[in-house]
Amino acid sequence: MTIQRPIRVLVAGLGNMGRSHALAYHNNPGFEIVGLVNRSVVSLPEELGAYTIHPSFETALAELKPDLVSINTYSDSHADYAVAAMESGADVFVEKPLATTVADAERVVAAAKKHGRKLVIGYILRHHPSWMRLIAEARKLGGPYVFRMNLNQQSSGSTWETHKYLMKTTSPIVDCGVHYLDVMLQITDATPVQVRGMGVRLSDEIDTDMYNYGHLQVLFDDKSVGWYEAGWGPMMSETAFFVKDVISPNGCVSIVMDQNAKSDDIDAHTKTSTIRLHWAETGKDGRFAAPDELLNMAGEPGHQELCDLEQAFVLKAIRENLDLDRHMRDAVRSLSVCLAADESVRTGRPVDL
């Protein structure tokens, strides 16, 4: 039996997601971290303390020649870093969003195809057992669908500082919205045809041309419709901050959130607590033919375990040469919808896709 050598990985960006992905590589014997990249020295978990932090991505890439580059920097650098990594011969994992423009996202996918490299985008919910179950149950119901989704965060302190920095380049409905547009696209095989967006700047601490509350409405060619809402900041309400609801002619499937969950708790962004299934069918007496079913999602992965699962998929994609064409296509398509929504916010007009 041939023992495969570990995949040598360079991790760029040591914010919340970068640290978590670095821990996933550190704890998986299929990977060997050859270096970390961050512009400044940051505090790290004890397990990562022995690795060298390089200030320059370009220098580290040239000197270390990794097999895989993990890009967890701010979104405006994603495309250039990903293309440079693939041109150097490395496979790429890149956090969402893939880029800040559709043209840049398409440029990254084109580079992956040209150089024959694997490109995995950080749609972490694709690796979550509960979200996989939610999508499967929704598909069983059949369309057309109504998608009702949001993720608002009442952020303060360091979380609000991170949000303000993110909003230098990316609005909340783009940064978070790509996850939930991706969920919608996995449930319906229909094509999004139009999106409408609206947004409000609720803080003087962000640039005058940015907004920290946004809402989009998307229409699909099978008559499905969906909305997504995202707001960040100390003024946001904790009421109904997490809505994940899919309705069809045959019933609905919903995530029931723990009533004690807080909107700035990162585990609350993925933990589903309970999935509620409701069937629309009624009997001769007009009453529902079956009671709602509650699927207990106890024991589901936390944030770090989810990052571990995602990077295990990256390892599998590389070693088993998985076909990632649909994965890359969906990433570009979900981003294009969210960027069009951002355009709609700024122009006040619907955008045809």
Side-chain angles (χ1 to χ4, degrees):
M1 179 179 174
T2 303
I3 298 176
Q4 293 177 297
R5 69 172 180 83
I7 290 169
R8 301 172 66 257
V9 57
L10 175 67
V11 184
L14 295 172
N16 181 60
M17 295 307 296
R19 288 194 299 270
S20 294
H21 291 315
L23 284 170
Y25 301 126
H26 175 82
N27 292 321
N28 188 324
F31 294 105
E32 174 193 349
I33 296 176
V34 295
L36 308 174
V37 175
N38 209 63
R39 289 176 184 171
S40 58
V41 176
V42 291
S43 60
L44 293 174
E46 184 179 348
E47 301 96 313
L48 304 178
Y51 297 114
T52 301
I53 298 179
H54 302 262
S56 166
F57 174 77
E58 293 79 7
T59 303
L61 180 64
E63 292 180 354
L64 298 173
K65 298 178 172 55
D67 305 316
L68 170 69
V69 175
S70 178
I71 300 167
N72 312 283
T73 50
Y74 286 109
S75 4
D76 55 341
S77 61
H78 286 184
D80 287 344
Y81 282 12
V83 171
M86 290 185 284
E87 287 177 344
S88 79
D91 295 308
V92 167
F93 168 82
V94 58
E95 258 304 334
K96 57 79 194 165
L98 175 56
T100 54
T101 68
V102 175
D104 269 348
E106 290 174 339
R107 177 165 65 96
V108 177
V109 171
K113 292 179 177 179
K114 176 183 176 181
H115 298 288
R117 307 319 309 175
K118 295 301 180 191
L119 171 65
V120 177
I121 301 97
Y123 286 98
I124 200 165
L125 299 181
R126 283 181 171 238
H127 310 283
H128 194 302
S130 300
W131 283 87
M132 291 160 71
R133 180 69 182 273
L134 177 83
I135 290 165
E137 295 296 341
R139 285 182 65 87
K140 284 181 197 174
L141 288 173
Y145 296 98
V146 176
F147 302 107
R148 305 168 64 239
M149 299 192 179
N150 76 355
L151 180 57
N152 295 319
Q153 295 179 62
Q154 188 184 87
S155 57
S156 60
S158 60
T159 307
W160 177 226
E161 293 304 315
T162 298
H163 282 157
K164 286 188 288 186
Y165 199 98
L166 284 169
M167 286 186 285
K168 293 289 185 184
T169 57
T170 310
S171 72
I173 57 170
V174 175
D175 182 79
C176 294
V178 290
H179 274 309
Y180 302 104
L181 261 298
D182 185 57
V183 170
M184 294 180 197
L185 290 169
Q186 289 180 77
I187 291 171
T188 177
D189 296 319
T191 300
V193 294
Q194 189 184 78
V195 66
R196 304 159 183 172
M198 62 190 80
V200 185
R201 177 175 177 263
L202 294 170
S203 172
D204 291 335
E205 296 181 54
I206 61 176
D207 293 344
T208 54
D209 62 347
M210 182 53 75
Y211 53 96
N212 62 311
Y213 172 85
H215 183 109
L216 67 81
Q217 299 169 326
V218 59
L219 292 82
F220 295 82
D221 64 2
D222 70 341
K223 308 302 181 187
S224 292
V225 298
W227 61 257
Y228 176 71
E229 172 195 61
W232 295 341
M235 74 295 294
M236 292 306 302
S237 170
E238 290 276 341
T239 301
F241 71 86
F242 184 103
V243 176
K244 304 295 182 294
D245 207 13
V246 184
I247 304 165
S248 93
N250 298 310
C252 58
V253 56
S254 316
I255 291 175
V256 182
M257 173 53 65
D258 180 350
Q259 293 299 306
N260 296 315
K262 293 294 183 183
S263 64
D264 65 346
D265 176 1
I266 195 163
D267 273 331
H269 300 177
T270 53
K271 289 215 169 195
T272 57
S273 301
T274 303
I275 293 176
R276 180 190 295 272
L277 292 172
H278 168 74
W279 293 271
E281 183 184 358
T282 56
K284 291 180 180 179
D285 61 358
R287 298 179 182 275
F288 289 119
D292 288 2
E293 183 178 353
L294 296 178
L295 307 177
N296 190 328
M297 295 293 121
E300 63 181 1
H303 174 71
Q304 184 57 51
E305 295 166 295
L306 206 48
C307 290
D308 296 345
L309 287 171
E310 186 167 38
Q311 298 311 322
F313 173 78
V314 173
L315 184 66
K316 180 181 175 72
I318 295 170
R319 287 193 168 164
E320 299 183 17
N321 192 29
L322 299 184
D323 183 350
L324 298 175
D325 278 357
R326 170 73 188 261
H327 174 83
M328 294 188 292
R329 186 167 67 250
D330 282 353
V332 173
R333 195 162 59 156
S334 60
L335 177 64
S336 69
V337 172
C338 292
L339 288 174
D342 183 69
E343 177 187 338
S344 177
V345 171
R346 297 174 190 283
T347 63
R349 298 183 181 92
V351 176
D352 293 324
L353 302 167

